[in-house]
Amino acid sequence: LMDFKGGKAELAEVTLAEDSPACDKTLNDLKFPRSATVVAVVRDEIVLVPTSDTILRAGDEVMVLITEDTEQAVQKILVG
């Protein structure tokens, strides 16, 4: 994790497991909280700048800028 703005925002990284509820869904489908933004997806050692149409796959490293109040919601979306 990396802290921003005196700890009010963090950059979290999650590697998607095969059974992640986010697998094979677009970012738009996942309905992230307003104050959480997927800023990058690393797939096969290639960094992707995601759009709302980006489909997440098992093994993707998903980097999300989150605030403290969105951490649990983002974890539920990406990990289950």
Side-chain angles (χ1 to χ4, degrees):
L1 292 178
M2 185 181 290
D3 291 333
F4 295 92
K5 294 187 180 180
K8 294 184 179 170
E10 299 177 340
L11 186 61
E13 180 180 337
V14 175
T15 300
L16 295 185
E18 292 282 339
D19 61 349
S20 167
C23 285
D24 301 320
K25 294 185 180 167
T26 67
L27 293 180
N28 191 53
D29 290 339
L30 295 173
K31 307 293 184 207
F32 281 90
R34 188 174 192 85
S35 56
T37 303
V38 177
V39 295
V41 176
V42 180
R43 179 180 296 152
D44 299 324
E45 299 182 15
I46 298 170
V47 177
L48 306 173
V49 177
T51 66
S52 62
D53 294 331
T54 299
I55 299 171
L56 297 181
R57 305 277 185 227
D60 283 354
E61 294 175 49
V62 182
M63 296 179 200
V64 189
L65 188 62
I66 59 172
T67 56
E68 187 176 307
D69 61 325
T70 61
E71 186 172 359
Q72 287 184 336
V74 170
Q75 183 174 358
K76 185 175 181 180
I77 290 168
L78 295 176
V79 179

